[in-house]
Amino acid sequence: MRNIVWCRVDDRLIHGEVVTAWIPFTHANRVVVVDDEVAKDDFNKRVLKSLAPAGTQVAVLTVAGATKALQKDPKPGERVLLLTKSPIVFEQLLDGGVAIKQVNLGGMGIRGDRQPFVNNVSASPAEVDSIRRMKNDKGVDVFYQLVPEQKVIDISNLL
C-alpha cells in the first residue's frame, strides 16, 4: 500500500491552504487528486499540477485508477497527500480496498443539496451518510480541521 500521510476533502483541491499549510505539515512529496471529472479534463489537470510546490509530484486520477494505484507498493521516501471534493470518494476508495485511517474535512462549499454541517463545511445528505458509515462502520477518524494550527473538531455529535 502506498504511504498515505493525509486525506483531505476540499472542493478547491490544490490551493493556498493545501500548498502553504498541509503539504509542509505532512511533508508530502506527492499529491494525488481523486476526481472522475477532473481526471478527464486535461486543462484542469495541467492547472492543478502547476499549483503544487516545486518538488511535489501531482497525479490526477479517477476513483478506479486511484484504487489500483494506491494499492501498489510504496516508493522509497514517498509521502502521499490524497485530495477529493467529497467524502463519498474516500468511502469508494475504502470499499475498493485502499487503507485509509483518517479523513480531514476541509473546505466544502454550499452547492447542490449541500447544507451547512460544521464551520465552513457543507454536506449533502449522501455525504453525511458516507461520513457516518466511514466513522461508525469502517473505523475511520473523520474530523474537521481547516489548517494544522487549528484544533481538531470532532464531528461525531453531528451524525
Side-chain angles (χ1 to χ4, degrees):
M1 192 70 58
R2 301 302 277 268
N3 185 26
I4 300 169
V5 296
W6 200 255
C7 297
R8 180 172 172 86
V9 179
D10 195 319
D11 52 21
R12 297 167 292 174
L13 299 173
I14 299 175
H15 64 97
E17 284 170 9
V18 170
V19 171
T20 63
W22 291 111
I23 290 174
F25 174 75
T26 61
H27 304 288
N29 53 19
R30 182 173 185 81
V31 175
V32 176
V33 172
V34 184
D35 187 280
D36 288 344
E37 293 302 314
V38 176
K40 296 176 195 172
D41 185 332
D42 289 336
F43 175 76
N44 275 326
K45 286 193 295 190
R46 281 193 311 274
V47 168
L48 287 172
K49 289 177 181 184
S50 73
L51 295 172
T56 305
Q57 296 178 340
V58 176
V60 182
L61 305 172
T62 63
V63 173
T67 300
K68 290 177 188 170
L70 294 169
Q71 293 185 65
K72 292 181 180 178
D73 290 336
K75 295 178 181 177
E78 179 180 64
R79 297 180 59 81
V80 177
L81 186 152
L82 284 182
L83 290 172
T84 71
K85 292 182 180 181
S86 172
I88 293 170
V89 174
F90 282 116
E91 185 178 24
Q92 292 169 332
L93 293 171
L94 280 161
D95 291 344
V98 177
I100 294 172
K101 297 177 180 129
Q102 53 80 23
V103 173
N104 165 223
L105 301 177
M108 295 170 58
I110 293 178
R111 61 178 157 81
D113 60 348
R114 281 184 173 173
Q115 297 296 318
F117 181 65
V118 60
N119 293 355
N120 69 332
V121 171
S122 297
S124 69
E127 289 171 325
V128 172
D129 288 343
S130 180
I131 293 166
R132 183 180 299 112
R133 285 189 299 271
M134 283 192 289
K135 199 158 180 60
N136 297 340
D137 302 342
K138 298 174 182 177
V140 177
D141 180 21
V142 184
F143 57 90
Y144 169 78
Q145 186 179 23
L146 184 63
V147 291
E149 297 78 27
Q150 184 183 54
K151 71 176 189 150
V152 170
I153 296 176
D154 181 23
I155 49 98
S156 298
N157 63 329
L158 303 173
L159 302 172

